[in-house]
Amino acid sequence: MIIDYPTLKLIWWLLVGVLLVGFAIMDGHDMGVGTLLPFVGKNDTERRVVINTVGPHWDGNQVWFITGGGAIFAAWPIVYATAFSGFYWAMLAVLWALFFRPVGFDYRSKIHNATWRSTWDWGLFVGGFVPPVIFGVAFGNLLQGVPFHFDDTLVPYYTGSFWGLLNPFALLCGVVASAMITLQGAVYLMHRTEDEIYARSRKAMLGAGIVLLAAFSAAGVWVQDIPGYVITSAFDSAALPNPQAKTVAREAGAWMANYRAMPATLLVPALAYLGVIGAVWLAWRGRTLAAFVASSLAIVGVIGTAGVSMFPFVMPSISAPDMSLTVWDAVSSHRTLTIMFWATLIFMPLIVLYTSWAYKVMSGKVTAAYVRENEHSAY
């Protein structure tokens, strides 16, 4: 079956969204656990319990991070090149933070030294806390527009600065992302632990849920005053990629246009609210598995809200709006998208099946007794 080019462009917008959501759900809960590690584990044994809830899974979850990055590189090469030029130091900060995770998980408990272990506990905190904040800050800057333009050969030029990325609205989006991931991690910890760690995770879950609701609401009110982007010229959705073949205007409230044109899309932000409230309510009542599902739906709602608000824009330019990158003019060729589509259709179900099997095999509570009985093999 051959799918036409405009439909494939739309399909890949959805698939990139699915991969980002998959990353936030799967990598998100182990990053959330890393964020909470120094606070819910009060001694070495408790921290080993916390680490062992995600230790066997965290590297498998990285497949969502790698696949998401690879999909953006292959499906939206111009977006990948432009984003990494503009967010170069921010992306390096993410990588530096991520370096703490493999080393921390593998070596933290190899040496019986309190300073060594405490240092790696805080390293795992950095590896869990920093990436979500930076990704949230990046989304905040995308919603405001990024200062870039192209020359005649489509070489991108970023004209902003690293410190310019840290503006108030972007930092608020960073709070949204951090609270979202912390909520996911806290609910997961409640599902896998008991006694004191369970109780501390319960308090953290409640706090993260409240912060997420407040920050997401504040961002929703704020974004209505931010000038959004509108394509003002005719364009051919089947045309070859050319981000300079259109005109774009910035208009106040334009990010709300999709909701006004298609009211059914309001279900996406509604899902974010229902997911957070449902997760907090279910987790508080001890129904932790259902709470994890609800928390995952909240992630779908939060990330989906950003995608629906910006559609069809992927990376708008504040300095040269006509050169903004959209779903229609920043993609790979028809053949590339077709090959990637069929590869995804085959391999994504395999990844989901393998991950589900791994979690089923290693399900159940992680306890202090388990860590003591497996002193030399546990993380």
Side-chain angles (χ1 to χ4, degrees):
M1 181 177 68
I2 299 177
I3 304 174
D4 63 77
Y5 200 20
T7 303
L8 267 178
K9 292 178 180 179
L10 191 57
I11 286 174
W12 269 103
W13 176 76
L14 290 169
L15 285 177
V16 170
V18 168
L19 290 169
L20 291 178
V21 167
F23 164 68
I25 292 173
M26 300 308 297
D27 254 328
H29 77 257
D30 60 52
M31 286 184 177
V33 169
T35 301
L36 292 171
L37 173 63
F39 310 107
V40 299
K42 297 300 183 183
N43 56 52
D44 181 64
T45 301
E46 289 183 351
R47 292 184 177 182
R48 289 192 72 180
V49 169
V50 172
I51 291 171
N52 276 280
T53 62
V54 294
H57 303 292
W58 78 270
D59 46 357
N61 293 336
Q62 291 292 101
V63 72
W64 291 96
F65 178 64
I66 296 168
T67 307
I72 294 174
F73 170 76
W76 296 341
I78 304 176
V79 174
Y80 186 92
T82 308
F84 271 72
S85 297
F87 301 151
Y88 183 76
W89 289 108
M91 292 300 106
L92 277 182
V94 169
L95 289 176
W96 290 331
L98 290 176
F99 288 160
F100 286 103
R101 284 158 54 82
V103 187
F105 280 120
D106 286 337
Y107 294 127
R108 184 260 181 204
S109 299
K110 299 295 184 186
I111 299 176
H112 287 278
N113 180 285
T115 303
W116 169 269
R117 294 189 173 188
S118 176
T119 300
W120 283 116
D121 290 340
W122 285 103
L124 289 170
F125 165 79
V126 171
F129 176 75
V130 171
V133 171
I134 291 181
F135 291 139
V137 168
F139 266 99
N141 280 282
L142 290 178
L143 284 162
Q144 296 172 98
V146 181
F148 71 89
H149 64 274
F150 297 101
D151 65 12
D152 293 337
T153 58
L154 285 185
V155 173
Y157 290 90
Y158 176 73
T159 55
S161 67
F162 171 78
W163 299 111
L165 298 174
L166 306 178
N167 56 77
F169 178 75
L171 291 174
L172 176 62
C173 292
V175 173
V176 171
S178 179
M180 180 178 74
I181 296 304
T182 304
L183 173 64
Q184 186 80 343
V187 172
Y188 180 78
L189 270 180
M190 289 180 65
H191 184 63
R192 297 296 310 278
T193 60
E194 53 190 20
D195 300 331
E196 289 84 0
I197 301 175
Y198 179 95
R200 295 181 197 122
S201 301
R202 193 169 183 243
K203 290 180 181 177
M205 175 277 301
L206 181 61
I210 292 172
V211 171
L212 177 53
L213 283 177
F216 185 67
S217 301
V221 172
W222 197 335
V223 81
Q224 296 182 50
D225 294 327
I226 292 174
Y229 290 71
V230 180
I231 299 176
T232 55
S233 62
F235 67 95
D236 181 5
S237 60
L240 293 173
N242 182 7
Q244 302 186 83
K246 64 182 181 303
T247 59
V248 173
R250 300 182 72 220
E251 296 178 1
W255 288 148
M256 298 292 113
N258 287 333
Y259 299 109
R260 290 191 292 269
M262 295 174 287
T265 55
L266 288 169
L267 291 173
V268 179
L271 182 62
Y273 282 103
L274 292 174
V276 176
I277 294 170
V280 171
W281 183 71
L282 289 165
W284 197 257
R285 292 171 60 87
R287 299 175 60 184
T288 52
L289 183 58
F292 187 79
V293 174
S295 177
S296 299
L297 291 175
I299 289 175
V300 175
V302 171
I303 295 178
T305 298
V308 170
S309 301
M310 294 178 62
F311 184 84
F313 290 89
V314 177
M315 190 171 182
S317 169
I318 195 171
S319 55
D322 292 346
M323 298 183 185
S324 297
L325 301 175
T326 74
V327 172
W328 312 118
D329 58 25
V331 297
S332 290
S333 67
H334 192 182
R335 173 175 292 186
T336 301
L337 295 185
T338 301
I339 294 172
M340 290 173 58
F341 172 75
W342 290 113
T344 302
L345 212 60
I346 295 170
F347 290 109
M348 185 178 284
L350 294 178
I351 294 171
V352 172
L353 284 173
Y354 174 77
T355 303
S356 302
W357 174 79
Y359 273 86
K360 183 179 180 181
V361 169
M362 290 176 273
S363 61
K365 299 285 187 181
V366 180
T367 64
Y370 167 83
V371 172
R372 284 193 290 270
E373 291 167 5
N374 298 275
E375 172 66 23
H376 299 293
S377 58
Y379 287 89

